[in-house]
Amino acid sequence: MSPRAEGTPQGGPLSPLLSNILLDELDKELERRGHRFVRYADDCNIYVKSEEAGKRVLESITRWLEKKLKLKVNREKSGVDRPWKRKFLGYSMTWNYVPKLKISPKSIERLKIKLKEIFRRGRGRRLEAIINELKPKLTGWMSYYRLTEVKGILTQLDQWIRRRLRCIIWRQLKRVYARAKALMRRGLDEERAWRSATNQRGPWWNAGASHMNQAYPKSYFEKLGLISLEEKLRAYQS
């Protein structure tokens, strides 16, 4: 590792502290101009009434930062857009007349990428071990996004996670006989179990099919300790 010549380590506690000290002047300038804004460290959103006003403010504030504070603005990451098309600290908002706070689509996608890594490693492991590995990630993620007012995406994520786990179960039951017997043990009648086990569809399709949903319902995973994001949020906000 080469020695650092300038700047501070990304993610360290010193970086946001120094940002707040330096950008305190920016806060005062925005307040002086009467703008509504939010800022955390060097991430700042300014809210105005029109696209033209947004372009004008972006240009003037960029000039002010570069001239007054001698800072270089990343123009690729800066832009003017509708509030619901932008994100701030992983959050976005709805397009309603009275907007609601929601988790940004990019934050959802990043979570899925992280969880997919766990699911890929879990194909040869016990389901309980996979769920135990999911717990801290899901708990920490939901704790951070506990302010969200839009809950529908959490229902979809819960369903997606359970389907991924059913997919692992189906893959682990490699043979037709093993699949049929497992489905019968989970309550399916013999005819339906054998019909389902021999359908020649792929693991992902079967993971979302009615026979796997019936054999391995939500309650099955709850008993193994799987966290529901929707219920976790309800507990945080109660």
Side-chain angles (χ1 to χ4, degrees):
M1 182 182 293
S2 58
R4 182 178 295 276
E6 61 181 9
T8 58
Q10 187 174 5
L14 186 59
S15 181
L17 176 61
L18 293 177
S19 294
N20 282 334
I21 293 172
L22 181 61
L23 295 176
D24 182 61
E25 287 190 58
L26 172 63
D27 295 343
K28 291 175 179 176
E29 177 65 15
L30 293 173
E31 288 172 355
R32 187 186 68 79
R33 298 187 185 192
H35 291 315
R36 294 183 178 184
F37 68 96
V38 289
R39 183 182 66 80
Y40 179 82
D42 62 346
D43 194 356
C44 183
N45 281 7
I46 304 171
Y47 301 100
V48 293
K49 291 184 177 180
S50 68
E51 183 179 359
E52 287 302 315
K55 291 177 180 178
R56 187 172 62 251
V57 170
L58 174 62
E59 187 60 34
S60 66
I61 288 297
T62 298
R63 283 198 309 269
W64 185 88
L65 285 167
E66 292 175 345
K67 183 177 179 181
K68 178 74 174 179
L69 298 185
K70 310 301 180 185
L71 295 174
K72 184 178 180 180
V73 176
N74 189 330
R75 293 178 182 268
E76 290 183 2
K77 291 185 178 180
S78 303
V80 177
D81 212 334
R82 299 288 188 181
W84 53 86
K85 293 183 179 180
R86 302 290 291 177
K87 68 181 183 68
F88 182 73
L89 301 179
Y91 282 94
S92 185
M93 59 183 69
T94 64
W95 53 267
N96 306 72
Y97 181 75
V98 179
K100 292 183 178 181
L101 201 62
K102 71 173 187 177
I103 305 168
S104 76
K106 287 186 178 179
S107 300
I108 300 292
E109 191 56 37
R110 280 198 297 269
L111 174 67
K112 283 188 171 184
I113 290 171
K114 290 179 182 178
L115 296 185
K116 282 177 182 178
E117 294 175 4
I118 297 175
F119 294 135
R120 275 194 292 268
R121 295 197 303 269
R123 292 178 183 178
R125 301 165 63 198
R126 294 172 65 248
L127 210 60
E128 291 89 339
I130 301 169
I131 290 173
N132 284 336
E133 191 174 352
L134 289 173
K135 276 183 185 179
K137 289 192 177 295
L138 296 177
T139 301
W141 189 85
M142 196 66 260
S143 177
Y144 180 83
Y145 290 105
R146 65 202 300 171
L147 299 177
T148 184
E149 298 173 276
V150 179
K151 303 174 184 178
I153 187 61
L154 300 179
T155 304
Q156 295 173 25
L157 276 172
D158 282 338
Q159 292 170 347
W160 179 82
I161 291 168
R162 291 195 296 271
R163 185 171 181 178
R164 282 279 173 180
L165 292 172
R166 292 188 189 102
C167 190
I168 291 172
I169 293 171
W170 189 263
R171 286 180 183 276
Q172 290 178 346
L173 299 167
K174 297 179 180 179
R175 297 182 179 179
V176 169
Y177 180 82
R179 289 169 179 171
K181 287 298 181 182
L183 290 174
M184 282 188 275
R185 283 196 302 270
R186 294 296 307 163
L188 271 67
D189 63 77
E190 185 175 355
E191 180 185 354
R192 189 181 178 203
W194 280 104
R195 188 171 65 249
S196 300
T198 57
N199 63 36
Q200 297 185 337
R201 299 271 193 159
W204 183 246
W205 185 92
N206 278 283
S210 60
H211 56 270
M212 284 295 283
N213 277 271
Q214 181 180 333
Y216 300 93
K218 180 182 176 183
S219 58
Y220 173 81
F221 298 107
E222 286 176 342
K223 288 178 182 178
L224 294 179
L226 181 65
I227 291 171
S228 165
L229 294 173
E230 185 179 12
E231 291 174 7
K232 199 74 177 174
L233 178 66
R234 193 178 297 119
Y236 282 136
Q237 295 184 347
S238 62

